[in-house]
Amino acid sequence: MTDLLFYVFALLAVICGCMVVANPFSRNPVTSAMFLVLTILCLAGLFVLLHAFFLAAVQILVYAGAVMVLFLFVIMLLDVKAEERRRLKLFGVVTGAVAVGGLGALLVRTIWTSNVGNELTPTLEGETRLLGTELFTNYLLPFEVVSILLLVAMVGVILLSKKELK
């Protein structure tokens, strides 16, 4: 039963993630944001199946709650005109295709070279203190890099949403 739920949550997460990027139902960015919420909920379900209850709760509270409110606020601040959303730029299409191809090749290589299913011994199962210790000792640099990246993204959004100064 757990394996079936894992595959269902994983499939739903992939489908909803694709719907965030290429939504055939609507070109409204709010619809894409709602599919992102569904993706986050599916990932929280995967965390529950992995007995990482704290991560699942944080996933729902922080990402599905606070970050999505911030995303919706930013979407409303940007005030993207409909004409600008409909145009496809060749540079964007080419760089997107190259990025997707590179990530796909990296994913296939990783799956091909890893021993999936042979070494499933979780060492941080459900322990918040161990997770925090691991995050702030062995993974401190990636944590700080992600923090700076999020700060730069927020500053960029503020600059993009800023109207012309008089």
Side-chain angles (χ1 to χ4, degrees):
M1 183 67 179
T2 304
D3 290 341
L4 178 67
L5 283 175
F6 179 83
Y7 288 119
V8 167
F9 279 128
L11 181 67
L12 285 174
V14 169
I15 290 172
C16 291
C18 290
M19 297 295 275
V20 170
V21 177
N23 186 357
F25 304 118
S26 172
R27 296 205 43 100
N28 190 350
V30 175
T31 308
S32 295
M34 291 300 114
F35 277 112
L36 184 59
V37 169
L38 289 176
T39 305
I40 290 170
L41 292 176
C42 291
L43 292 178
L46 289 174
F47 284 136
V48 168
L49 290 176
L50 294 172
H51 300 282
F53 302 111
F54 176 74
L55 284 179
V58 167
Q59 184 85 8
I60 291 173
L61 291 176
V62 173
Y63 290 106
V67 172
M68 287 311 301
V69 168
L70 180 67
F71 277 11
L72 291 174
F73 184 67
V74 167
I75 288 170
M76 289 181 213
L77 271 180
L78 282 178
D79 192 28
V80 180
K81 293 184 174 72
E83 302 86 36
E84 293 175 357
R85 283 186 277 153
R86 291 193 178 128
R87 286 188 293 166
L88 289 177
K89 296 179 180 173
L90 182 64
F91 179 73
V93 171
V94 170
T95 54
V98 169
V100 168
L103 286 174
L106 185 65
L107 179 66
V108 168
R109 181 179 174 269
T110 302
I111 291 173
W112 190 266
T113 58
S114 67
N115 295 326
V116 176
N118 292 338
E119 297 178 18
L120 292 177
T121 55
T123 57
L124 298 175
E125 188 173 311
E127 294 282 335
T128 307
R129 187 173 58 88
L130 291 176
L131 176 67
T133 303
E134 191 74 20
L135 185 65
F136 289 111
T137 55
N138 294 334
Y139 295 101
L140 183 62
L141 180 62
F143 181 75
E144 292 295 328
V145 168
V146 168
S147 301
I148 291 172
L149 183 66
L150 288 174
L151 178 66
V152 168
M154 284 193 307
V155 170
V157 165
I158 290 170
L159 288 177
L160 285 174
S161 64
K162 195 167 122 182
K163 304 291 181 198
E164 298 269 336
L165 291 177
K166 293 180 182 177

